[in-house]
Amino acid sequence: MIKEVAVNDVYPLRSKVLRPGQPIEACHYKEDSREGVFHLAASDKGAVIGIASFYPEQHPQFNDANSWRLRGMATDPEVRGQGLGLKLLQQGIRHCQARGATILWCNARTSAMPFYRKLNFEIYGDEFMIENIGPHYLMYYKY
């Protein structure tokens, strides 16, 4: 089941998957409490197994007035490859569209780039590094 949740519900999986070995505070993004932000979580038997956060945020490379950012997307390694991430992101895309989004963008890990391409995200520019995390691409989904 996928539903909107409080930000505190996404921190444990964010920490486990996206910031392993770092303090949980490394998973607290300053944008998490911004007005309009929503967090989705997929759960199974009460356990959170997939997460994604969506922020109303413009990127300097895009001129779209109603831009949204995807950040902190992760699935538990034990359920990876079963289509959960796809369903989670599809629901997030719909939620952003209902909020008037014209573009959804993210800094996608290079290793996740093929996943985003399956959902018609496009690459913008060259690969770049995020310190302490690794190589990424700027990717976007145009509504």
Side-chain angles (χ1 to χ4, degrees):
M1 173 172 58
I2 299 172
K3 64 179 182 177
E4 284 191 43
V5 297
V7 68
N8 287 337
D9 294 337
V10 303
Y11 289 148
L13 191 58
R14 255 192 210 170
S15 180
K16 176 182 176 180
V17 175
L18 301 177
R19 304 288 188 273
Q22 296 182 32
I24 197 158
E25 292 78 23
C27 301
H28 295 202
Y29 308 150
K30 63 181 179 179
E31 302 89 354
D32 281 336
S33 300
R34 186 186 302 158
E35 188 173 333
V37 170
F38 67 96
H39 309 278
L40 295 179
S43 59
D44 182 41
K45 299 176 186 159
V48 173
I49 56 174
I51 55 169
S53 297
F54 298 85
Y55 309 86
E57 182 179 332
Q58 286 194 279
H59 189 282
Q61 297 298 330
F62 306 117
N63 293 322
D64 296 68
N66 200 347
S67 298
W68 283 76
R69 180 181 185 182
L70 164 64
R71 190 166 185 204
M73 181 163 182
T75 55
D76 192 295
E78 294 180 21
V79 297
R80 218 168 272 154
Q82 298 176 22
L84 177 65
L86 183 73
K87 291 175 186 170
L88 192 62
L89 187 50
Q90 286 173 327
Q91 187 159 329
I93 288 169
R94 288 191 301 271
H95 279 264
C96 289
Q97 185 175 27
R99 289 165 167 86
T102 54
I103 194 168
L104 174 63
W105 65 273
C106 65
N107 291 325
R109 291 175 189 247
T110 298
S111 60
M113 188 259 302
F115 165 77
Y116 291 104
R117 297 283 293 149
K118 285 182 198 173
L119 284 161
N120 298 317
F121 276 70
E122 298 291 331
I123 295 172
Y124 186 94
D126 297 324
E127 184 181 61
F128 60 95
M129 292 294 291
I130 296 180
E131 188 177 341
N132 298 322
I133 301 173
H136 285 70
Y137 281 99
L138 173 60
M139 298 189 77
Y140 66 96
Y141 176 92
K142 196 86 166 146
Y143 289 88

